[in-house]
């Protein structure tokens, strides 16, 4: 066992209201400059939806992440660093500016001087990049206006794969928000695909950074990152990405997105992991076993053997204590309520999500009771508004069982807290299956 430390984040999706405060504060801090207009290190995308950049989950198209070759070994879909070195002049497979969204601004003069109209404003948005007036046909949260359901968001690549259960009627449509930053992966395919060796993972805390002096602008990293969380600055000709706010983290401050999050849904902290187990876990053949494999790589920071391993590795005592205080390992492994985004990309992402339980607004048919009350919510898991299959495509490579387990725990916790708030004995409402 080779113990290393990693900064990580868990986001509780039930709490995200899609206000974009995190995106805006991140942009003001990190990408508020020429060449980065289209870039959101932190974005909040609508689900179901195409994401940002749109269709980034289509790995056959963009060639991101890792796959297993015939011998069961990991290979980059985008091509190895050596191969990319030999083919550096071939075009990387990159989304266009229109896939990210073309930055635009209102025609404020017309907006304020136009005569009163019966219906909507008539001023059209203008492109910031080309300066030409244009019809903006898409942006990162366009799907907000469309809601979920196959007829209403037909181009969503995940939605197309789920079962007939998602053939929803209008009143059963669903949506939620998915905030995203760079995953600061344990097995980052951006770094492995860079011909210049400009991308590195800091040994002390696992933050993945781009050495601006070494970057030669080949953009193979943009192709190689399956989450499309590394961006090309067209002014400087270099790649840039989320830095996990390392200058703040180094002085004990949280990331900007976490500090300013209105929903208080971002938990950040250190985790300890077994660096020797990373590649083996990322190479598990059965995609449905990737979740457990990735959980096992993260080590219990209170385990004496792990503590001794951390001391041997030179991890400072106050960092070990920070990992013990951090909620990350507990949310992922003790309570098992957090899941990784697309573990099948095999990069071992270090931003995990507590999936949305979603509102349960029905009444129980035969009793007329509130479905959120006591054990009713637990029983209602099978008929939640957000299909478990949809969440499974996002978080468990399509395996519904672990998602259902998480939702049952969240439902039990919600019932428990409701009882406490209503002055009832909470132990009576916990189903035996949860314990
Ligand atoms: Fe690299 Fe971040 Fe993409 Fe992972 S999510 S491959 S660390 S840019
Ligand atoms: Fe969601 Fe928090 Fe971002 Fe608002 S600030 S969009 S609540 S993650």
């Amino acid at each position: 066992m080779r113990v290393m430390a990693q900064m990580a984040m868990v986001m509780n999706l039930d709490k995200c209201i899609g206000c974009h405060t995190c995106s805006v504060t991140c942009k003001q801090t990190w990408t508020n400059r020429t060449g980065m207009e289209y870039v959101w290190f932190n974005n909040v995308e609508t689900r179901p939806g195409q994401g940002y950049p749109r269709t980034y989950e289509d790995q056959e198209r963009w060639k991101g992440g890792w796959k297993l070759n015939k011998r069961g070994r990991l290979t980059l879909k985008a091509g190895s660093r050596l191969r990319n070195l030999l083919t550096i002049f071939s075009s990387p497979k990159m989304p266009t500016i229109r896939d990210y969204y073309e930055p635009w601004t209102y025609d404020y003069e017309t907006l304020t001087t136009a005569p009163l109209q019966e219906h909507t404003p008539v001023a059209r948005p203008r492109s910031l990049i080309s300066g030409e007036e244009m019809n903006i046909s898409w942006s990162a949260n366009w799907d907000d206006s469309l809601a979920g359901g196959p007829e209403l968001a037909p181009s969503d690549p995940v939605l197309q794969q789920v079962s007939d259960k998602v053939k929803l009627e209008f009143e059963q449509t669903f949506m939620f928000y998915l905030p995203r930053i760079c995953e600061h992966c344990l097995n980052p395919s951006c770094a492995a695909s860079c011909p210049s060796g400009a991308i590195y993972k800091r040994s002390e805390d696992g933050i993945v950074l781009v050495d601006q002096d070494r970057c030669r602008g080949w953009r193979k990293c943009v192709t190689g990152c399956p989450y499309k969380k590394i961006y090309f600055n067209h002014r400087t000709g270099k790649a840039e990405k989320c830095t996990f706010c390392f200058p703040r983290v180094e002085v004990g401050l949280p990331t900007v997105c976490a500090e300013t999050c209105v929903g208080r849904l971002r938990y950040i902290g250190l985790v300890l992991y077994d660096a020797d187990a990373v590649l083996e876990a990322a190479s598990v053949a059965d995609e449905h076993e990737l979740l457990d494999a990735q959980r096992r790589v993260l080590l219990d920071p209170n385990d004496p053997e792990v503590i001794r391993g951390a001391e041997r590795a030179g991890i400072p005592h106050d960092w070990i204590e920070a990992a013990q205080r951090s909620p990350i390992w507990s949310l992922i492994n003790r309570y098992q309520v957090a899941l990784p985004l697309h573990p099948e990309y095999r990069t071992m992402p270090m931003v995990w999500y507590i999936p949305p339980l979603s509102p349960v607004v029905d009444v129980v048919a035969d009793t007329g009771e509130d479905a959120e009350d006591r054990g009713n919510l637990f029983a209602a898991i099978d008929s939640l508004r957000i299909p478990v299959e949809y969440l499974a495509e996002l978080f468990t490579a399509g395996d519904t069982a672990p998602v259902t387990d998480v939702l049952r725990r969240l439902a039990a916790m919600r019932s428990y807290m409701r009882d406490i708030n209503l002055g009832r004995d909470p132990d009576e409402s916990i189903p035996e299956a949860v314990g």
Side-chain angles (χ1 to χ4, degrees):
M1 179 168 60
R2 186 162 55 95
V3 181
M4 293 187 78
Q6 167 78 39
M7 285 303 297
M9 185 181 287
V10 171
M11 299 198 219
N12 184 351
L13 295 183
D14 257 331
K15 292 177 159 188
C16 181
I17 58 172
C19 64
H20 294 270
T21 307
C22 50
S23 306
V24 172
T25 50
C26 173
K27 184 149 195 65
Q28 289 288 50
T29 308
W30 293 109
T31 59
N32 188 13
R33 52 207 153 78
T34 316
M36 299 294 276
E37 294 90 342
Y38 74 97
V39 171
W40 297 90
F41 285 169
N42 181 106
N43 75 284
V44 182
E45 58 201 37
T46 307
R47 289 303 175 134
Q50 300 182 60
Y52 164 82
R54 59 182 162 188
T55 71
Y56 73 88
E57 289 158 303
D58 184 350
Q59 303 306 323
E60 290 315 305
R61 181 178 181 196
W62 303 117
K63 304 293 176 206
W66 304 86
K67 64 178 179 185
L68 291 181
N69 66 16
K70 286 184 186 140
R71 287 183 293 158
R73 300 185 62 172
L74 287 175
T75 47
L76 284 167
K77 284 190 185 162
S80 66
R81 182 186 294 179
L82 182 62
R83 188 159 158 245
N84 280 336
L85 190 59
L86 298 172
T87 59
I88 46 183
F89 294 110
S90 67
S91 298
K93 288 191 185 308
M94 289 179 55
T96 67
I97 186 68
R98 291 207 170 230
D99 294 317
Y100 287 101
Y101 97 113
E102 188 147 7
W104 51 271
T105 185
Y106 287 108
D107 174 357
Y108 285 106
E109 193 180 337
T110 309
L111 201 64
T112 54
T113 58
L116 189 63
Q117 303 289 315
E118 191 180 345
H119 299 300
T120 54
V122 293
R124 297 166 71 194
R126 287 174 187 275
S127 161
L128 283 182
I129 288 182
S130 63
E132 294 168 4
E133 192 166 329
M134 55 174 284
N135 274 322
I136 303 293
S137 59
W138 188 82
S139 70
N141 292 97
W142 194 252
D143 314 275
D144 259 20
S145 312
L146 304 177
E151 284 80 30
L152 299 172
S155 52
D156 183 271
V158 175
L159 198 57
Q160 284 173 357
Q161 295 167 18
V162 298
S163 75
D164 286 347
K165 191 173 175 186
V166 194
K167 302 280 183 259
L168 300 169
E169 295 180 12
F170 181 74
E171 66 270 20
Q172 290 176 298
T173 55
F174 64 93
M175 65 162 287
F176 61 95
Y177 290 106
L178 183 71
R180 293 203 304 122
I181 61 172
C182 163
E183 300 277 347
H184 296 276
C185 309
L186 293 183
N187 184 30
S189 52
C190 59
S193 54
C194 173
S196 306
I199 304 176
Y200 61 103
K201 187 168 178 61
R202 298 209 309 189
S203 57
E204 65 269 37
D205 57 14
I207 293 174
V208 176
L209 297 172
V210 183
D211 182 336
Q212 294 290 294
D213 291 333
R214 293 185 74 173
C215 176
R216 294 288 173 269
W218 303 121
R219 293 157 292 155
K220 304 287 187 180
C221 54
V222 183
T223 304
C225 170
Y227 300 95
K228 290 290 167 279
K229 273 297 170 191
I230 192 158
Y231 305 86
F232 185 63
N233 181 327
H234 58 84
R235 173 58 67 95
T236 63
K238 312 270 185 181
E240 294 191 34
K241 65 182 289 303
C242 158
T243 63
F244 212 91
C245 292
F246 74 85
R248 292 172 57 90
V249 167
E250 285 175 359
V251 294
L253 294 173
T255 62
V256 168
C257 59
E259 183 166 39
T260 60
C261 173
V262 171
R264 286 284 177 260
L265 59 97
R266 295 172 184 245
Y267 302 90
I268 59 177
L270 273 177
V271 281
L272 302 177
Y273 71 99
D274 182 359
D276 283 338
V278 169
L279 280 186
E280 189 185 335
S283 316
V284 167
D286 184 347
E287 287 188 346
H288 290 170
E289 290 177 10
L290 277 167
L291 171 63
D292 280 341
Q294 297 196 10
R295 278 177 175 153
R296 281 196 300 273
V297 169
L298 305 182
L299 303 168
D300 181 351
N302 293 301
D303 181 334
E305 196 187 331
V306 173
I307 295 171
R308 278 194 295 277
E311 288 168 344
R312 272 199 305 277
I315 297 174
H317 268 284
D318 51 344
W319 285 43
I320 299 172
E321 286 168 12
Q324 290 167 342
R325 283 195 309 273
S326 153
I328 304 291
W329 183 83
S330 294
L331 290 168
I332 291 173
N333 270 326
R334 178 178 300 151
Y335 306 120
Q336 299 202 341
V337 291
L339 300 169
L341 182 63
H342 289 304
E344 73 276 17
Y345 296 168
R346 299 177 184 274
T347 62
M348 310 281 285
M350 280 294 108
V351 176
W352 289 45
Y353 294 90
I354 300 174
L357 186 54
S358 76
V360 178
V361 291
D362 294 341
V363 292
V364 178
D366 47 350
T367 63
E369 286 177 17
D370 180 344
E372 292 230 352
D373 205 16
R374 308 219 129 191
N376 293 338
L377 178 58
F378 187 80
I381 290 297
D382 292 336
S383 57
L384 286 178
R385 179 173 286 202
I386 301 178
V388 173
E389 290 90 338
Y390 184 76
L391 297 174
E393 290 294 333
L394 286 176
F395 300 119
T396 56
D399 189 2
T400 55
V403 179
T404 306
D405 284 350
V406 170
L407 296 178
R408 285 179 193 276
R409 283 188 201 104
L410 295 175
M413 190 179 71
R414 197 185 280 184
S415 290
Y416 186 88
M417 294 309 296
R418 197 174 214 225
D419 278 350
I420 288 178
N421 289 335
L422 292 174
R424 301 189 301 216
D425 178 3
D427 289 334
E428 282 181 19
S429 70
I430 299 215
E432 276 180 21
V434 175

